[in-house]
Amino acid sequence: MFSGLHILEKQAITSPSKDEFGREIPDTGEVSWVKVGCCRCDDDTTSKFEDANGQLYIPAYHIVCDNKYVTIKAGDKIRCLNGDAIKCEGEVRRVKKLNFLNYSEIWV
């Protein structure tokens, strides 16, 4: 990738606490952000996509990163940092991995 202006981070949640019966207690896991690598994040409101349920959505951001960062999948929470400021944050709607060219595209 030629221009990695931003830093891509993925949200990591530790496993929540369990009660005496072994059931998970909601909202007790700790949230942290794990650095994935460099990326380029652009505003994108021109494309329209349809998800598996047939709902139409317009992504707010288009992120391009190296192919080795394809551990990100639809439904993950990610954010892009521009220095210390957050450029974008949200849920991944679509991931496209290119085979010949060595990069991946993510729509948030």
Side-chain angles (χ1 to χ4, degrees), residues 44 49 59 61-62 91-94 96 105-108:
D44 181 28
F49 293 107
Y61 299 101
H62 176 233
E91 181 179 340
V92 175
R93 299 300 300 248
R94 179 183 242 182
K96 183 168 80 173
E105 295 180 298
I106 301 169
W107 285 271
V108 178

Side-chain angles (χ1 to χ4, degrees), residues 1-68:
M1 189 172 68
F2 296 113
S3 60
L5 305 172
H6 307 105
I7 296 173
L8 180 64
E9 292 184 336
K10 179 180 176 180
Q11 187 179 45
I13 301 175
T14 59
S15 57
S17 302
K18 295 185 178 186
D19 63 6
E20 64 271 8
F21 300 110
R23 297 177 297 208
E24 293 183 353
I25 302 171
D27 299 330
T28 57
E30 293 196 23
V31 176
S32 63
W33 291 95
V34 178
K35 180 180 176 182
V36 176
C38 294
C39 68
R40 187 187 80 232
C41 177
D42 299 318
D43 297 340
D44 181 28
T45 56
T46 58
S47 304
K48 293 181 183 179
F49 293 107
E50 189 173 321
D51 62 5
N53 295 328
Q55 294 180 337
L56 186 69
Y57 67 92
I58 300 172
Y61 299 101
H62 176 233
I63 300 168
V64 178
C65 61
D66 286 335
N67 242 356
K68 59 186 171 184

Side-chain angles (χ1 to χ4, degrees), residues 53-89:
N53 295 328
Q55 294 180 337
L56 186 69
Y57 67 92
I58 300 172
Y61 299 101
H62 176 233
I63 300 168
V64 178
C65 61
D66 286 335
N67 242 356
K68 59 186 171 184
Y69 305 134
V70 292
T71 58
I72 296 172
K73 58 187 181 300
D76 288 346
K77 304 278 186 192
I78 63 167
R79 71 179 180 184
C80 292
L81 301 176
N82 188 7
D84 290 334
I86 297 174
K87 169 133 174 83
C88 83
E89 184 173 358

